[in-house]
Amino acid sequence: MSLKRSLIGLLRSHELTGDKAKDPLLKSHYYKLSRERAWEEVVSTLKKMQGYKVLHEVQSVGEIVLEKRTVTGRTMDITVSVINVNPVTAAVDIYSASRGSFGDLGSNYRIIIDIYRTLDKKLAQYKTTGI
């Protein structure tokens, strides 16, 4: 992880992904799956991830809320969104925030990268670039 990321993390206690993200690792991920199928795959993958606890699943809006405790005892709240792009493509975006004050020293960034890496491995055959 870069020094810049750690410095940003001193002040910032959240991180999010999206199409317009400057960091290529924080760009939305796309999969050639219907939203329903992507939802099933994403939820089942997240439930198997070590250290993450699924708190809520709201399929109607495509959001899964997770919690992760760090080694330092902080709690991170993570929202994974499964978005319908078109009938055969779904996008996944992630928002991660730390509870409490002060920055997160880049841990929200690392959590997003970890979740994306796991999803990309599980859904490798469906991964696509954009719409």
Side-chain angles (χ1 to χ4, degrees):
M1 190 173 70
S2 72
L3 178 61
K4 180 183 171 205
R5 268 282 141 213
S6 293
L7 291 174
I8 290 169
L10 286 173
L11 304 171
R12 192 189 300 174
S13 60
H14 71 276
E15 197 65 72
L16 71 155
T17 66
D19 280 338
K20 294 178 175 60
K22 286 184 178 71
D23 185 325
L25 294 175
L26 294 179
K27 292 222 182 266
S28 303
H29 283 217
Y30 293 89
Y31 303 97
K32 284 258 179 242
L33 288 167
S34 67
R35 192 187 124 194
E36 292 71 30
R37 186 80 199 292
W39 171 264
E40 289 165 18
E41 294 286 350
V42 168
V43 170
S44 74
T45 303
L46 293 174
K47 284 182 174 175
K48 291 177 193 147
M49 286 184 72
Q50 287 302 159
Y52 294 86
K53 181 177 164 193
V54 175
L55 300 179
H56 303 287
E57 296 170 42
V58 188
Q59 187 169 0
S60 57
V61 292
E63 286 190 352
I64 304 129
V65 179
L66 307 160
E67 180 182 272
K68 177 173 177 62
R69 293 197 191 283
T70 64
V71 287
T72 58
R74 289 191 77 173
T75 302
M76 321 299 261
D77 295 304
I78 306 140
T79 303
V80 179
S81 301
V82 180
I83 303 139
N84 192 34
V85 176
N86 61 44
V88 295
T89 308
V92 174
D93 274 313
I94 304 168
Y95 176 81
S96 181
S98 311
R99 289 185 199 164
S101 54
F102 304 116
D104 64 10
L105 299 176
S107 56
N108 285 301
Y109 180 80
R110 289 189 299 276
I111 282 172
I112 288 173
I113 303 307
D114 183 41
I115 292 172
Y116 268 160
R117 195 177 300 126
T118 303
L119 289 174
D120 286 350
K121 198 161 29 171
K122 175 84 168 67
L123 302 172
Q125 69 201 63
Y126 306 109
K127 181 106 171 76
T128 181
T129 52
I131 315 161

